[in-house]
């Protein structure tokens, strides 16, 4: 188990510069063009070092130093721990894109459509391949039903303006992923997301109160908690 864990952490650190580049690329406010080049020196932003500083001008772009690396390594470790079949590829894909989506939502409170589309399409293809490889086409139907149920539930919350527009496609992808393990794991993922977001909101409210900052609503980004809830449910199943 130790070599697998070390391998997973190394793999997480290996893809982190790419994930960090994607975070810098997509973490722009709604309506602004994607950040394809460093705004300070014009150098193309693709891979970024753990310091988060542009290799050209040393200005900081995107997420804080070593944050993406730490989360990517932890997620890779969790995926390696949860791996037990052909669906592991879908789990790894969701883990990698989930790190990017989580950081982007945390920074600019949005889940870009392109990232969600890549997540939904990748999970759909990889789960289909996994189901056919394991000779269990029936499980695909459950994945689809859970995905549509979770997606529709979150879409209702989007209509009620309780969630942002990117949260329902994220729910669709995570629903499909959790549907592989069963309805209860999917329900567990949603419950875990609500509990974790509630805890975070309470802590933030307490911190604002202690520092006597003005109350402007909690403004908790939901994406990271949906992702964290799904990961918790997969690990605890
Ligand atoms: Zn630069």
């Amino acid at each position: 188990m130790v070599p697998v864990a070390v391998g997973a952490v190394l793999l997480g650190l290996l893809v982190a510069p790419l994930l960090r580049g994607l975070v810098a690329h997509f973490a722009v406010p709604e309506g602004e063009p994607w950040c394809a080049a460093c705004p300070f020196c014009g150098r193309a932003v693709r891979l970024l070092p753990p310091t988060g500083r542009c290799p050209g001008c040393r200005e900081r772009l995107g997420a804080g130093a070593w944050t993406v690396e730490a989360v990517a390594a932890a997620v890779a470790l969790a995926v390696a721990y949860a791996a037990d079949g052909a669906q592991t590829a879908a789990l790894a894909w969701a883990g990698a894109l989930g790190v990017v989506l989580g950081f982007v939502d945390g920074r600019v409170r949005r889940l870009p459509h392109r990232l969600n589309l890549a997540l939904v399409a990748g999970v759909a293809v990889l789960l289909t391949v996994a189901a056919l490889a394991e000779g269990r086409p029936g499980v695909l139907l459950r994945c689809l039903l859970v995905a549509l149920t979770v997606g529709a539930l979150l879409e209702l919350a989007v209509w009620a303006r309780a969630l942002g527009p990117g949260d329902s496609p994220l729910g669709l992808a995570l629903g499909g992923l959790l549907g592989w393990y069963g309805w209860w794991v999917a329900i567990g993922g949603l419950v875990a997301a609500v509990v974790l977001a509630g805890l975070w909101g309470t802590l933030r409210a307490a911190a604002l109160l202690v520092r006597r900052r003005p109350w402007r609503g909690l403004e908790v980004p939901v994406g990271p908690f949906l992702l964290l809830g799904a990961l918790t449910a997969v690990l605890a199943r």
Side-chain angles (χ1 to χ4, degrees):
M1 197 63 202
V2 174
V4 176
V6 172
V9 169
L10 286 178
L11 193 65
L13 292 176
L14 201 68
V15 295
L18 179 66
L19 303 183
R20 184 178 272 286
L22 287 170
V23 171
H25 184 86
F26 284 104
V28 290
E30 196 89 48
E32 283 184 24
W34 303 123
C35 173
C38 170
F40 302 100
C41 70
R43 191 185 169 123
V45 174
R46 287 198 184 86
L47 305 176
L48 282 175
T51 53
R53 292 187 183 279
C54 167
C57 66
R58 318 291 300 155
E59 289 287 344
R60 184 181 308 284
L61 305 171
W66 287 99
T67 49
V68 177
E69 290 69 21
V71 175
V75 168
L77 199 59
V79 169
Y81 178 80
D84 72 341
Q87 86 288 8
T88 305
L91 209 57
W93 179 250
L97 273 179
V99 171
V100 180
L101 281 162
F103 271 96
V104 170
D105 199 16
R107 289 183 70 80
V108 292
R109 302 286 155 86
R110 69 183 287 212
L111 297 164
H113 190 58
R114 279 191 199 185
L115 287 174
N116 269 336
L117 201 66
L119 179 64
V120 171
V123 165
V125 169
L126 292 171
L127 284 183
T128 305
V129 171
L132 296 179
E134 290 196 354
R136 301 166 60 197
V139 78
L140 267 186
L141 182 66
R142 187 176 62 205
C143 290
L144 186 66
L145 285 177
V146 175
L148 292 176
T149 307
V150 176
L153 214 65
L154 297 191
E155 185 61 26
L156 279 178
V158 172
W159 280 345
R161 291 171 184 266
L163 296 180
D167 290 319
S168 53
L170 177 61
L172 189 75
L174 295 179
L177 204 59
L178 297 186
W180 180 278
Y181 305 101
W183 284 95
W184 285 109
V185 177
I187 293 169
L190 275 179
V191 171
V194 171
V195 169
L196 290 169
L199 271 175
W200 178 252
T202 310
L203 284 175
R204 261 187 59 115
L208 286 177
L209 208 67
V210 167
R211 285 188 285 163
R212 294 171 184 250
R213 292 285 175 81
W215 179 265
R216 284 178 286 116
L218 282 175
E219 294 179 359
V220 175
V222 178
F225 294 101
L226 288 174
L227 289 158
L228 212 55
L231 190 62
T232 307
V234 171
L235 288 176
R237 77 188 192 279

